[in-house]
Amino acid sequence: SVETFVSIDSIIEKGESDELEFKATYRWNLKTHQIDKQLEAAILKAIAAFANTDGGTLLIGVSNAGEIVGLEHDYKSFSKGHDKDVFELTLRNAVQNAFGMTFASRLINVGFHEMQDKEICKVDITKSDKLVFIETKDKNGLKNKEAFIRIGNASKPLKPDEIVFLISFDILFSEKVRFLKATSTFFPTIALLN
């Protein structure tokens, strides 16, 4: 197969969508000038939403307007070093803690790119074959498990009945695929579809 190189510039020019999200920083609040756990949670929520939909790309260090902010603010917020290695380790640890080792090792790919003399982080997320839940806190600080999906350029929580439907659909679909594969020896045309 021939891989097509797509520049970061052309990705940013397309703007946010159901497959692309921009985040200005990972954890540094540009308004309050301090670490903000809600920003970290928003990154994890976006990753979960991509995994629960069709996959996608998260660009950290790019504002919603597509302007290059860079990772310098985040780098300076780390106590154990101020570079992309510490950034990646922090991000991967957060993903692993939220979603598990298998998810962190198989469903995300992290890379760094230089633009306008600033570094940005590109996180590619693969669609998960299972519904991915994330722990959230409500206004009172009570913990909940929620599943998010991408709708347009936003990550939206699924309602309980939608979760039941998706899980039922996945079970039904996987059983149908198993049946088709098992019967494909009798129906050669189906084997061509696999």
Side-chain angles (χ1 to χ4, degrees), residues 10-118:
S10 65
I11 292 172
I12 293 171
E13 282 176 21
K14 291 179 183 176
E16 291 186 311
S17 68
D18 57 342
E19 296 178 344
L20 180 64
E21 174 82 13
F22 302 151
K23 295 291 185 190
T25 66
Y26 171 68
R27 67 186 207 162
W28 188 257
N29 189 314
L30 296 171
K31 292 179 182 154
T32 64
H33 304 288
Q34 60 189 13
I35 294 170
D36 186 339
K37 292 285 185 191
Q38 289 182 344
L39 295 177
E40 292 179 56
I43 297 278
L44 294 173
K45 184 171 78 171
I47 290 171
F50 282 128
N52 284 334
T53 314
D54 292 318
T57 299
L58 174 63
L59 293 178
I60 306 171
V62 179
S63 75
N64 285 342
E67 297 163 349
I68 306 303
V69 176
L71 302 173
E72 196 61 35
H73 297 291
D74 284 319
Y75 288 170
K76 289 178 181 175
S77 75
F78 299 124
S79 59
K80 293 185 178 182
H82 308 291
D83 60 19
K84 65 184 175 190
D85 292 335
V86 175
F87 182 96
E88 182 174 357
L89 183 63
T90 303
L91 175 62
R92 285 191 179 277
N93 284 340
V95 169
Q96 182 180 326
N97 290 338
F99 310 118
M101 180 77 76
T102 302
F103 184 101
S105 65
R106 293 187 177 177
L107 297 183
I108 67 163
N109 183 30
V110 178
F112 294 85
H113 302 271
E114 193 166 307
M115 300 194 63
Q116 301 171 8
D117 296 322
K118 297 175 183 173

Side-chain angles (χ1 to χ4, degrees), residues 124-138:
D124 290 311
I125 302 101
T126 303
K127 178 179 176 23
S128 175
D129 58 354
K130 289 188 266 184
L131 198 56
V132 175
F133 289 85
I134 185 167
E135 192 171 275
T136 59
K137 290 184 181 176
D138 67 13

